[in-house]
Amino acid sequence: MLNRRDFLKGSAFGIAGITGAVALAGCASAPQGQQSAAQNPTDAGAEERTGLQATAEAAQNTEARKVSLVEFEADVAPKVTETKECDIVVLGSGAGGLGAAVKAAQLGAKVILLEKGSELGGSTNGTEGMFGWGSSLQHETDGVELPLVAELIQDELTYSNYRIDAALWNRFINASGKSVDWLRDLGYQFDRVDVYKGQISAFKCYHWWAEEKGSTMIAHLADVAAGLGVEIITQAPGVALMTEDGKVAGAYAHNVADDSYFAVKAKATIVGTGGFGLNNALIEQLTAWDMTYGTTRSPGTGDGVIMAEDVGAGTYMTSILPRTAVEGYTVYDEIAIGCCDNPLLFVNENGDRFMNEGTYVTSYMALYVNSIISQKHAYTLFDQAMIDRFMNGEGILSGWRKYKAGAQLPEFQSQLDECLSSKRGNVFKGDTVEDLAKAMGVDPANLKATVDRYNKLCTDGFDEDFLKGAEFLIPVQTGPFYAVRQDPSVTNTIGGLDVNYNNAVVDVNGEAIPGLYCVGVDACKLYKETYNYAMSGGLVGYCLYSGLNAAEHACEEALA
Ligand SMILES: Cc1cc2nc3c(=O)[nH]c(=O)nc-3n(C[C@H](O)[C@H](O)[C@H](O)COP(=O)(O)OP(=O)(O)OC[C@H]3O[C@@H](n4cnc5c(N)ncnc54)[C@H](O)[C@@H]3O)c2cc1C
């Protein structure tokens, strides 16, 4: 029974590390970054290649192509040694692509799915659950009270400065429970529906995967796909879209195992290649992020976006599922846990404090990143007493998953020392605050004034300047002193290709490109700025929704 309830805002939540994956075939990894100079669109001869239009669009991707697997149709077509035929070809096997393949097969289409890797599932394997509103599981579960769809949309509008498409949110939220039910009807058993870890979202819309692992859902869908006759080919990245008579007529693929090329002719093509977190050129082109020191956890190289741009697709400025990290380390390393996930004292390149460092805790891993990247550089500043606390005292002030508040970080000092000895230029040390300032290249008097002011606020127990919670006000006074630079880190890119409400890819004029659809994060236009953790699992929820939506419309087109 769903009742209207007051919608609580402003909570925070978390996401999973990538865990298991579904092994289907082969063992070699797909090659990365194999573009040659011949594929550079500015080279002589590039104008002669086939394609719907978009030479100018493709030209912008000169750098982006270098880390992708994408080739030009004119280059790849002559290398083809085999041509397969089907109704619908799908590129990518995450929640978006595999969901689309199964749905299309259910609707009677002959489907071929191409997957770049040797395993299915992509980033989806590492997720913990998905958003759903109005699912049968929610109806069956005691104590589930849901807000109105309109209340959820209003929260997203407020969060995003009204720069999002509320009509798209309306479609997505209303369909999200049906996506959950679709999986259940296929025999997949969710673990439960609940809030996300008790603190992040204020309402019970988080549908936890079995074992809290997206890989269980992928494995289930892979079995269903096999039963429906979907031909799944792993280690076979799509490298270009096939064009014919003004429409997309399939895709070209590289068979990594024997280094051959084949073509898949199809009446509709669905792209779901998982974003471009590994493609700094695309990130800088399509977002406001400076990736000079940026890091990523996403495996996406932007293949789908580049392939579609080659046939004239429009792009959509994307959002980022954001974090910060310490250069040279992953977000799971202790130096990053201590310096990025803990509300210590943050200063900018001038030595000024600039934010409520507790924002990480209250908005989880999202909004605080906006404050960090609004500065030229942001440093976490702390003293030896904090290091001792982290290593063998009360532990960290805040954290998640393995590193909850109170966890100790035994490697913290040695990782700091490694950074200092590497002279990478992102960690600094001084016996006094003034010495630290000199090492950082900051005005010593200014940094000293900042630290003195911060210590006074700590003594007062009230952060008059930025309203950080009193529990996080710990003075910085026992040398030596350290500063560690926090850099942006991409968990996932969100969006890239412009699509309409049918998940058909549209050109720069907003006209649907015949025969081409896009799903998953490549197509996600829900967010314009920063991912909102208050709607837990919204990303995978969208990936599945878009897969089902695209499959329905692609089948209408392909099976007409
Ligand atoms: C650590 C982590 C945890 C997360 N946890 C959550 C969570 O709990 N809930 C949530 O909602 N979101 C979560 N997210 C975000 C979520 O993972 C993604 O939004 C979602 O899984 C993306 O699905 P997708 O189908 O778009 O792409 P993916 O699942 O990444 O699948 C894309 C697939 O396409 C393949 N591919 C790439 N290029 C080609 C090519 N040229 N040809 C053929 N195949 C290709 C890839 O190999 C991959 O298998 C998390 C992200 C990360 C990184």
Side-chain angles (χ1 to χ4, degrees):
M1 178 72 180
L2 305 177
N3 299 313
R4 185 181 188 282
R5 48 159 287 174
D6 286 340
F7 174 46
L8 305 175
K9 294 191 285 185
S11 49
F13 70 97
I15 52 175
I18 292 181
T19 55
V22 187
L24 272 203
C27 57
S29 302
Q32 302 280 321
Q34 54 181 11
Q35 297 308 306
S36 68
Q39 289 148 3
N40 183 331
T42 59
D43 290 346
E47 293 301 327
E48 293 162 20
R49 72 181 192 275
T50 56
L52 294 185
Q53 39 183 291
T55 303
E57 290 288 330
Q60 290 173 15
N61 284 329
T62 305
E63 283 305 311
R65 302 180 91 84
K66 290 177 183 166
V67 293
S68 81
L69 301 177
V70 180
E71 305 185 26
F72 287 111
E73 183 179 13
D75 297 328
V76 73
K79 297 189 273 189
V80 164
T81 54
E82 181 192 359
T83 299
K84 296 170 176 284
E85 291 204 27
C86 63
D87 296 316
I88 294 188
V89 61
V90 178
L91 277 58
S93 65
L98 193 53
V102 170
K103 181 69 182 178
Q106 281 182 314
L107 293 172
K110 181 182 177 202
V111 181
I112 294 178
L113 184 146
L114 304 173
E115 166 53 48
K116 169 171 83 170
S118 56
E119 299 168 337
L120 301 187
S123 292
T124 305
N125 284 317
T127 62
E128 296 170 291
M130 65 175 274
F131 173 85
W133 184 96
S135 73
S136 54
L137 190 57
Q138 286 169 319
H139 282 279
E140 292 162 17
T141 303
D142 288 342
V144 174
E145 295 180 0
L146 295 181
L148 294 175
V149 170
E151 289 174 299
L152 293 174
I153 293 171
Q154 185 57 47
D155 184 65
E156 291 293 337
L157 282 165
T158 306
Y159 183 89
S160 306
N161 274 339
Y162 286 72
R163 298 179 75 224
I164 52 166
D165 180 354
L168 176 64
W169 274 98
N170 192 302
R171 285 163 186 263
F172 162 59
I173 295 173
N174 276 300
S176 61
K178 298 184 187 86
S179 304
V180 170
D181 289 352
W182 179 76
L183 282 174
R184 294 186 91 202
D185 290 345
L186 290 173
Y188 181 72
Q189 291 190 5
F190 285 86
D191 185 80
R192 64 194 185 283
V193 63
D194 205 343
V195 294
Y196 187 85
K197 300 203 168 172
Q199 57 167 354
I200 307 305
S201 59
F203 44 88
K204 296 185 176 177
C205 288
Y206 198 78
H207 294 71
W208 291 85
W209 306 127
E211 301 171 36
E212 301 185 359
K213 289 178 180 165
S215 53
T216 62
M217 185 275 288
I218 291 292
H220 189 87
L221 274 189
D223 285 346
V224 174
L228 289 167
V230 175
E231 184 181 355
I232 295 178
I233 311 175
T234 56
Q235 293 188 268
V239 293
L241 296 174
M242 184 191 301
T243 56
E244 207 174 86
D245 300 330
K247 71 181 291 263
V248 172
Y252 297 93
H254 181 211
N255 183 338
V256 174
D258 65 5
D259 196 21
S260 65
Y261 287 82
F262 62 96
V264 183
K265 285 200 78 162
K267 294 170 192 151
T269 301
I270 300 178
V271 170
T273 57
F276 47 91
L278 273 181
N279 197 323
N280 284 358
L282 268 189
I283 290 174
E284 293 193 343
Q285 187 181 314
L286 291 173
T287 78
W289 277 39
D290 174 357
M291 290 297 284
T292 308
Y293 299 110
T295 60
T296 187
R297 287 195 289 165
S298 159
T301 51
D303 297 9
V305 174
I306 298 169
M307 267 184 260
E309 274 198 274
D310 280 353
V311 299
T315 55
Y316 181 83
M317 192 195 102
T318 82
S319 176
I320 297 273
L321 184 55
R323 286 193 73 166
T324 59
V326 175
E327 193 189 359
Y329 292 85
T330 73
V331 294
Y332 304 111
D333 284 314
E334 292 187 5
I335 188 169
I337 302 290
C339 296
C340 303
D341 297 4
N342 270 267
L344 309 182
L345 166 61
F346 298 169
V347 299
N348 66 13
E349 67 280 359
N350 301 318
D352 293 326
R353 189 171 174 228
F354 60 89
M355 69 179 289
N356 171 352
E357 299 91 344
T359 309
Y360 174 94
V361 182
T362 51
S363 81
Y364 201 58
M365 299 181 290
L367 291 178
Y368 90 102
V369 182
N370 288 352
S371 292
I372 297 283
I373 63 177
S374 69
Q375 308 300 310
K376 185 175 175 198
H377 292 304
Y379 300 91
T380 308
L381 202 151
F382 50 93
D383 62 2
Q384 189 62 45
M386 186 59 74
I387 299 176
D388 295 344
R389 173 190 167 126
F390 280 179
M391 292 186 63
N392 46 40
E394 294 167 71
I396 55 177
L397 283 61
S398 75
W400 64 295
R401 302 196 77 208
K402 180 179 165 194
Y403 296 104
K404 296 202 168 45
Q408 292 185 341
L409 305 178
E411 306 291 324
F412 191 79
Q413 180 82 61
S414 62
Q415 291 181 357
L416 274 180
D417 294 342
E418 273 167 26
C419 285
L420 284 165
S421 59
S422 76
K423 298 202 179 344
R424 201 179 284 117
N426 60 337
V427 174
F428 305 93
K429 179 182 178 183
D431 287 335
T432 64
V433 171
E434 289 88 341
D435 289 345
L436 176 65
K438 284 179 203 149
M440 297 167 70
V442 168
D443 175 26
N446 193 45
L447 189 65
K448 181 74 168 62
T450 297
V451 172
D452 287 348
R453 170 69 180 164
Y454 183 71
N455 287 344
K456 178 176 185 312
L457 297 172
C458 293
T459 306
D460 294 349
F462 178 64
D463 178 9
E464 189 186 343
D465 294 349
F466 292 102
L467 298 178
K468 178 158 74 172
E471 70 276 29
F472 301 134
L473 291 172
I474 300 173
V476 181
Q477 51 198 11
T478 313
F481 300 90
Y482 294 82
V484 176
R485 197 184 66 222
Q486 286 192 49
D487 296 314
S489 176
V490 176
T491 301
N492 255 126
T493 54
I494 309 173
L497 286 176
D498 201 359
V499 295
N500 64 21
Y501 290 142
N502 295 346
N503 278 96
V505 177
V506 299
D507 64 19
V508 289
N509 300 314
E511 296 294 325
I513 296 176
L516 185 60
Y517 295 80
C518 185
V519 299
V521 287
D522 284 339
C524 184
K525 289 170 63 179
L526 286 176
Y527 309 91
K528 186 78 175 175
E529 294 184 337
T530 312
Y531 184 64
N532 185 358
Y533 281 93
M535 185 124 37
S536 317
L539 263 186
V540 177
Y542 175 81
C543 291
L544 197 60
Y545 156 78
S546 60
L548 304 187
N549 188 41
E552 280 176 17
H553 294 287
C555 281
E556 271 171 28
E557 183 176 353
L559 306 179

